[in-house]
Amino acid sequence: MEVKIIDTAYGGYGIAKDNEGKVIFVPHCVENDILDIDIIKETKKFSYGSINKIIEPSEYRINPKCKYAGICGGCVFNHIDYKKQLDIKKNIVLNAVRNIEYNNDIKIIYNNNYNYRLRVNMVSVNGKVGFYKFKTNDFVNIDECVILKESLFERIKNFVSENNITGSIYALENNNDEAIAFLEVNKKTNLKCFNKYFNGISLKHNKTIKSYGDDTIVYKTKYGDVGIGHKTFFQSNLYLLDDFQKEVVKYLNYNDRIIVELYAGSGFFTSALLNVLNNFNNDYKLISSEISKDSVTVASKYGINIINEDAALTLKNINHDIDVLVVDPPREGLNKNVVENIIRIKPKKIIYVSCDPMTFSRDINLIKDYYKLSDLNIIDMFADTYHIEVISLLEKKS
């Protein structure tokens, strides 16, 4: 079947339509590609296709830098001109907030350097390392990765090969040549020379976990040190970490006295909030909470005080005015109880960081009677992928 790609959906699929107007989702393509495709899955409302042949390439299609483009499931935008990638992400966000009044432009913060990722989940099979194919469990062995920090990839590749690992490995590296990893294996394994590659590693087989060496390392940001461990979430793009913090704390001002931060993790934004508030040299109160006990423990180790508490409970316990509420929820967004308490307390302003434009839009729609969306930015933490990070400011309506 011959089709023309007319748009891009969140999730990495190009959009085409058949002769009856039914939507077809096609991976590894870009707007204005003319393709010969096969339909591989069909539902009543839409279909999925796969490319047989590129009949006429789009003007936005480039020769991918990655030799595994279209095979590995990682960089599904690697074949798309970077400016077009940014346009695609901007349009996805604009479409997501189409029912929300917003009259300003969307600024995009980006740095299109390659080898930007400082943390990764990878698959290993018989000492070979790689990823799964797009939306499958088919293993793809790779010997290079254009988005991973080169030193991190070499650590993983050589460690997995030397120990003949079959399983999965999560590894992260800081900006001081230190790295830790979590390894889950399918068979009992005696690790050799792990400290040649990692400062610390945790090994899981069945239900047993053994840890060796350091369980945390520190990442030095412009605003202070942040602890990271294999059980804590940390942002990925080494070139944009300082910018990410800066874009969040820029919404603070001298008169902000009571600040509440939810979903604080191990303190990535907390450290920046503290830095700026201390520089204001005023009395202030910062309440930060995080449900993960491991993250709170790591934060405490590096001098950041975070309450180990569910986000809804933190808000439920507040019966006073709040100047600023900072939220950076997981992909699922804000739960019902958090939204209800936001409406009850009505903070003067909300700084909302989101990794999913769809749940972000859902949440903003729930509070739009009380808040106006004043500023909306994209920070491209995941170039060459469909992932989108949004930074926004909401202000209470008078």
Side-chain angles (χ1 to χ4, degrees):
M1 175 191 299
E2 183 176 315
V3 297
K4 182 176 182 177
I5 302 301
I6 57 174
D7 206 348
T8 305
Y10 181 65
Y13 290 97
I15 298 174
K17 291 187 177 181
D18 64 17
N19 293 333
E20 283 72 46
K22 187 176 182 180
V23 169
I24 308 169
F25 294 110
V26 186
H28 309 304
C29 57
V30 63
E31 183 183 340
N32 291 342
D33 271 347
I34 297 175
L35 309 170
D36 176 50
I37 67 166
D38 283 333
I39 300 298
I40 57 173
K41 182 180 178 181
E42 195 160 4
T43 71
K44 289 183 179 180
K45 294 184 177 180
F46 54 84
S47 304
Y48 289 96
S50 65
I51 299 173
N52 278 329
K53 180 183 178 183
I54 300 173
I55 298 171
E56 185 178 324
S58 165
E59 67 272 28
Y60 306 119
R61 180 177 282 275
I62 61 171
N63 291 322
K65 183 173 182 180
C66 178
K67 63 184 179 183
Y68 302 103
I71 303 171
C72 165
C75 307
V76 295
F77 279 1
N78 195 245
H79 61 285
I80 302 175
D81 174 75
Y82 188 65
K83 184 178 182 300
K84 182 61 177 176
Q85 291 185 36
L86 298 179
D87 287 342
I88 288 170
K89 293 181 180 184
K90 183 176 181 178
N91 288 334
I92 287 171
V93 173
L94 284 171
N95 186 56
V97 299
R98 65 189 181 279
N99 295 323
I100 300 166
E101 184 178 352
Y102 182 69
N103 300 318
N104 299 327
D105 192 20
I106 296 179
K107 182 175 78 172
I108 303 181
I109 303 100
Y110 65 91
N111 184 313
N112 61 342
N113 283 323
Y114 284 92
N115 304 110
Y116 63 82
R117 284 204 67 144
L118 54 83
R119 67 177 181 89
V120 67
N121 277 296
M122 301 192 76
V123 184
S124 53
V125 176
N126 298 325
K128 303 294 184 182
V129 71
F131 297 101
Y132 290 125
K133 289 183 180 179
F134 185 67
K135 303 297 183 183
T136 76
N137 289 321
D138 298 332
F139 175 70
V140 179
N141 172 223
I142 65 173
D143 58 16
E144 65 180 31
C145 181
V146 299
I147 66 168
L148 268 186
K149 195 177 178 187
E150 291 177 277
S151 53
L152 178 59
F153 180 69
E154 289 301 313
R155 289 179 196 267
I156 297 170
K157 183 175 69 172
N158 293 331
F159 169 77
V160 165
S161 175
E162 185 168 337
N163 288 275
N164 194 31
I165 299 295
T166 295
S168 62
I169 183 168
Y170 171 66
L172 55 155
E173 184 173 308
N174 66 9
N175 46 0
N176 197 34
D177 199 33
E178 298 170 324
I180 55 176
F182 179 82
L183 181 65
E184 187 167 0
V185 294
N186 299 342
K187 59 184 179 180
K188 193 171 182 179
T189 303
N190 294 316
L191 299 182
K192 297 183 292 184
C193 304
F194 83 86
N195 53 3
K196 185 166 66 175
Y197 305 106
F198 298 103
N199 295 75
I201 193 163
S202 292
L203 174 66
K204 181 178 181 181
H205 175 243
N206 292 330
K207 295 182 179 180
T208 302
I209 300 177
K210 293 182 179 180
S211 295
Y212 308 88
D214 298 333
D215 58 356
T216 63
I217 53 178
V218 65
Y219 202 98
K220 297 182 180 298
T221 77
K222 174 183 176 181
Y223 295 94
D225 293 350
V226 181
I228 47 179
H230 69 78
K231 292 183 180 179
T232 68
F233 174 78
F234 195 72
Q235 296 294 340
S236 298
N237 191 316
L238 65 95
Y239 299 109
L240 288 174
L241 291 178
D242 289 345
D243 290 304
F244 205 174
Q245 291 174 312
K246 176 184 174 183
E247 290 297 319
V248 168
V249 298
K250 74 179 183 183
Y251 298 121
L252 295 179
N253 64 49
Y254 186 81
N255 295 317
D256 292 328
R257 294 289 194 276
I258 302 177
I259 299 92
V260 175
E261 178 194 17
L262 307 178
Y263 316 99
S266 60
F268 177 68
F269 291 124
T270 320
S271 63
L273 293 168
L274 287 167
N275 183 288
V276 171
L277 291 167
N278 286 330
N279 284 335
F280 286 161
N281 199 27
N282 266 332
D283 291 334
Y284 68 86
K285 183 177 183 180
L286 173 63
I287 301 168
S288 296
S289 76
E290 165 59 46
I291 196 169
S292 165
K293 185 176 181 179
D294 293 301
S295 295
V296 171
T297 299
V298 171
S300 176
K301 183 177 178 179
Y302 294 96
I304 299 175
N305 182 31
I306 296 173
I307 303 167
N308 185 202
E309 193 171 69
D310 176 71
L313 181 58
T314 302
L315 288 186
K316 185 179 178 181
N317 290 333
I318 292 173
N319 290 297
H320 51 73
D321 292 338
I322 295 175
D323 293 308
V324 185
L325 175 65
V326 182
V327 294
D328 181 18
R331 197 169 301 281
E332 295 78 16
L334 307 177
N335 69 35
K336 179 182 177 182
N337 291 334
V338 170
V339 172
E340 287 175 352
N341 276 287
I342 288 174
I343 293 171
R344 175 182 66 84
I345 299 168
K346 295 185 181 65
K348 292 179 183 177
K349 58 188 176 186
I350 301 171
I351 303 169
Y352 191 146
V353 179
S354 172
C355 61
D356 189 318
M358 305 309 148
T359 55
F360 168 78
S361 171
R362 178 203 67 198
D363 294 342
I364 303 308
N365 269 294
L366 292 173
I367 60 174
K368 67 181 181 181
D369 289 344
Y370 311 94
Y371 289 89
K372 64 176 180 178
L373 183 59
S374 300
D375 199 26
L376 183 57
N377 305 303
I378 294 169
I379 183 162
D380 194 28
M381 298 294 286
F382 302 97
D384 283 349
T385 80
Y386 65 83
H387 295 291
I388 301 172
E389 289 276 353
V390 171
I391 308 166
S392 67
L393 174 67
L394 297 107
E395 295 178 293
K396 188 169 70 170
K397 293 180 177 179
S398 55

